[in-house]
Amino acid sequence: MSSEWLKLVADKINEVLVENGNAPCAIVASTNILHETPLDSLGLAIVVLRLEEATGKDPFVEGFKNFHTAGELAALYAG
Amino acid sequence: MQADAIQLDFGTAASQPLADILAAELPSGSELAVHARHRAAFFAALMAARKRRCLLFAAPSYWTNTAFDDWVAARALTYVLRSNDENEIELELRTQGKRTSTPGIVLFTSGSTGTPKGVEHSWQSIAASSCFAPDRIRAKRWYAAYECASYAGLQVFYAASASQGCLIVPPVGIGFAEHAQLIRSQQVDILSATPSWWRMLMFAWPANLPRRRLLQATLGGEIADQSTLDQISEFFLPEQLTHVFATSETGTAIAVSDRKAGFPAAHLDDPRRTVKLRVRNGVLQVQSPHRMRRYVDDEGATCQDEWLSTGDLIEVVGDRCFFTGRKDQQFNIGGLKVKPQEVEIALRRLPEVHDCVAYARPNPILGSVLVADVVVAAGAKADHGTLRRQLRKVLPAYKVPQRFRFVQRIGMLPSGKAQRH
């Protein structure tokens, strides 16, 4: 998986964190999004919405795909 | 070629020639169908059918000709009134023989499900709320902004007629800048429309066209929020500004003219009111002598209970009641319920926002997320961050749209209500 996709995921997560009044986090491929960042499920929903807009891709179009880490989420868009 | 506006003058010339000719042709007690797309035919039918104590089926102008023809074919109606391309009006006898119908009028509601429902009223109940005309509004000029074949459209018609006014009926399908031109050139005094219609009119009012000072401005069909009331007040300087709550089924239930959103809580459970109101499980219920007679073709759904549930949610704050949305139009955002209207009302309070709609979009994390389409106020700038930040101060996070789309105009249904995708 290219670091480009991971960077995009990290940028969107931090964008939402800052908007919600949180400090930005250092995000690596193994970062568990809901456990290791202050992002809640509403924030994650916004991240996914913005990723879809930025990439034009909707990896969930055929149903939910499980992911926990930033790397796993990025892989859904890279795939 | 664009048709001209029709003028129906109920003043000194009390006779309506077309309606009189039709009334002479129409046997008393017969059934008649008319398509409101044919404006002149529609109003003639409306007047003649009442005079001859007929049962009139009034199809809204947004029905296609095919939909109307199919509907007429499916029912063994006695007469159909049409106008051809040359604007000649033809009364077509469909079935011979005698059928006696209970006199009245059938209107079609668009409904939230999209399937049109026939709502039958007696001639007395359809005209009841509008039969009293105070001197203040005698012989004035009215504008038909609502769909003519709707409960609200008929209230405007009967109020204009009872007050010996003149009703200006715009051609079907014109734009808002043209409405503004007509309101100005026809010197309209009294205008009644949905809040969405009013907002579009103000937004599209040409900068070089002088404004029109109104005698009476009325809002109905959607929630009238404070921002919209204030804007209309400032733009049209109406002597009276009224917002009305009415449904096709219950008739007019509440009219408020204090320029404040909502209505006095004292109206609830007030036994002195002709139209009685109560709230059950957060929903407004109405008991009215002007209610519909029945649903056509759906006797089962016709509620025999004298209290009709409106489906409109009410919140009582101090001595005031506010409409907050509809029971059947709530979104589920991550398990929490959101009413689009509460989001829209908060958004319209922001100086950057002229108009908006909120709706849900599927989302893999929460099931759905909130999105809002926003028309930015003239001369203002708005972006995602500023709107979200301001809304976060007045709404919980899950009620703040997760995305904004900036659009030129809000889509409108044929009823004049905003379209929430």
Side-chain angles (χ1 to χ4, degrees):
Chain A
M1 182 198 50
S2 81
S3 61
E4 220 175 291
W5 295 103
L6 181 63
K7 184 175 179 308
L8 183 67
V9 167
D11 285 351
K12 294 295 169 196
I13 290 173
N14 278 322
E15 191 179 294
V16 175
L17 283 177
V18 171
E19 273 175 29
N20 292 349
N22 298 110
C25 298
I27 288 165
V28 294
S30 63
T31 305
N32 184 309
I33 302 172
L34 287 180
H35 293 146
E36 294 172 51
T37 79
L39 204 69
D40 58 8
S41 61
L42 189 60
L44 184 58
I46 302 173
V47 167
V48 169
L49 189 74
R50 294 194 190 168
L51 282 169
E52 185 193 325
E53 284 173 352
T55 62
K57 291 183 182 181
D58 180 9
F60 304 98
V61 71
E62 277 157 22
F64 186 71
K65 290 181 181 133
N66 208 6
F67 66 91
H68 300 284
T69 66
E72 285 164 2
L73 180 58
L76 293 176
Y77 291 91
Chain B
M1 192 190 73
Q2 183 120 74
D4 290 330
I6 296 175
Q7 287 198 31
L8 297 170
D9 193 344
F10 304 103
T12 43
S15 109
Q16 301 288 334
L18 203 52
D20 293 344
I21 296 167
L22 183 60
E25 291 283 315
L26 211 54
S28 174
S30 49
E31 285 185 347
L32 171 69
V34 68
H35 189 187
R37 182 177 287 253
H38 308 144
R39 298 293 214 205
F42 173 75
F43 287 107
L46 192 60
M47 291 179 266
R50 187 179 184 191
K51 200 169 182 182
R52 300 296 291 151
R53 300 188 53 74
C54 296
L55 180 62
L56 177 68
F57 291 83
S61 53
Y62 51 84
W63 280 20
T64 61
N65 289 335
T66 323
F68 178 67
D69 290 343
D70 290 351
W71 185 86
V72 164
R75 271 195 92 91
L77 290 169
T78 322
Y79 289 98
V80 177
L81 190 70
R82 304 170 186 280
S83 61
N84 60 24
D85 293 340
E86 281 80 46
N87 271 330
E88 293 164 345
I89 292 175
E90 299 162 356
L91 183 65
E92 182 193 340
L93 178 64
R94 304 273 305 197
T95 28
Q96 295 283 357
K98 277 192 181 156
R99 276 177 62 153
T100 39
S101 301
T102 318
I105 181 166
V106 176
L107 296 170
F108 296 86
T109 62
S110 43
S112 40
T113 53
T115 321
K117 223 187 228 179
V119 176
E120 186 178 314
H121 275 269
S122 69
W123 288 108
Q124 198 192 354
S125 69
I126 199 77
S129 319
S130 311
C131 61
F132 172 70
D135 275 346
R136 201 173 64 74
I137 59 161
R138 200 151 290 278
K140 299 296 178 190
R141 297 176 69 78
W142 301 65
Y143 195 74
Y146 286 113
E147 159 61 38
C148 292
S150 72
Y151 185 83
L154 290 179
Q155 297 315 301
V156 172
F157 171 84
Y158 285 117
S161 143
S163 60
Q164 282 123 49
C166 179
L167 180 64
I168 319 292
V169 186
V172 175
I174 63 168
F176 279 90
E178 290 159 288
H179 282 303
Q181 301 281 2
L182 268 176
I183 287 164
R184 181 75 211 172
S185 66
Q186 294 288 334
Q187 303 184 314
V188 169
D189 303 302
I190 300 175
L191 178 54
S192 182
T194 60
S196 288
W197 203 97
W198 279 105
R199 288 190 292 267
M200 279 300 296
L201 179 67
M202 291 186 281
F203 195 70
W205 196 277
N208 58 0
L209 183 70
R211 292 182 182 181
R212 174 79 190 155
R213 189 183 185 129
L214 294 176
L215 179 67
Q216 165 81 51
T218 307
L219 297 80
E222 292 177 307
I223 298 174
D225 60 357
Q226 196 60 52
S227 322
T228 306
L229 290 169
D230 292 346
Q231 275 186 60
I232 294 171
S233 221
E234 198 189 305
F235 199 104
F236 295 100
L237 306 168
E239 270 180 35
Q240 183 158 311
L241 176 60
T242 306
H243 53 103
V244 173
F245 174 81
T247 71
S248 307
E249 288 87 349
T250 63
T252 305
I254 307 167
V256 182
S257 301
D258 60 5
R259 299 186 188 231
K260 292 194 179 75
F263 63 92
H267 284 2
L268 297 180
D269 307 304
D270 180 353
R272 293 163 303 175
R273 282 178 57 93
T274 314
V275 178
K276 294 181 178 56
L277 309 171
R278 70 180 188 191
V279 174
R280 290 289 181 275
N281 298 320
V283 175
L284 181 68
Q285 297 188 345
V286 176
Q287 189 195 80
S288 170
H290 319 312
R291 61 170 282 169
M292 66 171 179
R293 192 186 284 149
R294 65 184 184 117
Y295 285 122
V296 176
D297 300 333
D298 194 1
E299 290 294 345
T302 305
C303 176
Q304 293 305 314
D305 187 353
E306 48 188 23
W307 286 94
L308 288 176
S309 179
T310 62
D312 290 281
L313 298 164
I314 297 279
E315 193 182 336
V316 185
V317 182
D319 59 0
R320 202 82 180 164
C321 294
F322 295 92
F323 290 99
T324 58
R326 289 191 52 79
K327 198 171 187 218
D328 58 3
Q329 278 177 13
Q330 298 185 78
F331 304 128
N332 188 327
I333 308 292
L336 299 164
K337 279 189 179 164
V338 181
K339 300 182 267 285
Q341 293 89 347
E342 58 186 336
V343 178
E344 292 161 6
I345 290 171
L347 259 171
R348 276 198 296 269
R349 281 204 198 110
L350 306 181
E352 296 93 337
V353 177
H354 176 74
D355 202 1
C356 59
V357 278
Y359 51 96
R361 256 190 61 179
N363 180 275
I365 311 297
L366 295 177
S368 48
V369 287
L370 264 187
V371 182
D373 285 1
V374 169
V375 178
V376 178
K381 275 187 181 164
D383 63 47
H384 192 85
T386 50
L387 295 184
R388 270 185 68 83
R389 268 194 298 280
Q390 294 184 80
L391 283 186
R392 278 299 297 273
K393 292 178 192 157
V394 291
L395 292 175
Y398 70 97
K399 290 185 182 177
V400 175
Q402 283 86 42
R403 205 67 193 148
F404 295 96
R405 288 177 51 207
F406 296 99
V407 296
Q408 291 301 309
R409 53 163 296 174
I410 299 298
M412 204 181 278
L413 297 165
S415 59
K417 298 180 188 189
Q419 186 168 21
R420 294 193 183 86
H421 295 257

